[in-house]
Amino acid sequence: MISEKINEILVDEFEVDVNLIQPNLNLKDTLNLDSLDYVDLVVIIESNFGVKLVEADFTNIQTFQDFYDLIKRKTAHN
């Protein structure tokens, strides 16, 4: 499942507490990543899911669920 894989990446690569990852929580506030971490996250997500992410993709991303849905949409088009 996409959400499980993304959560695994967040825990393994960014040392995010798995208990903080909830679909309805604000992604940016919860992760508290700096701009370089976000670049790393994009690269890791792209390589793991075979998708291409651009800045515009993140315009409406607020919650973890929004992020999961974005990756689901992107992988469905591949």
Side-chain angles (χ1 to χ4, degrees):
M1 188 172 190
I2 287 176
S3 59
E4 291 170 355
K5 180 68 175 169
I6 291 172
N7 292 353
E8 183 180 306
I9 290 167
L10 293 172
V11 170
D12 292 346
E13 300 291 333
F14 300 97
E15 299 177 359
V16 176
D17 182 342
V18 71
N19 297 313
L20 296 177
I21 303 172
Q22 302 295 324
N24 61 334
L25 292 181
N26 185 287
L27 180 78
K28 199 170 194 176
D29 291 347
T30 304
L31 295 182
N32 197 29
L33 301 177
D34 64 28
S35 56
L36 290 176
D37 288 332
Y38 277 106
V39 171
D40 289 344
L41 176 60
V42 167
V43 170
I44 292 167
I45 293 294
E46 287 178 340
S47 66
N48 274 273
F49 292 97
V51 297
K52 180 71 177 148
L53 299 173
V54 295
E55 191 173 337
D57 291 329
F58 292 91
T59 305
N60 296 316
I61 302 298
Q62 296 294 320
T63 66
F64 285 94
Q65 189 62 55
D66 293 338
F67 190 55
Y68 302 150
D69 292 344
L70 167 67
I71 304 306
K72 285 177 190 169
R73 282 193 306 276
K74 290 282 190 170
T75 57
H77 292 136
N78 284 349

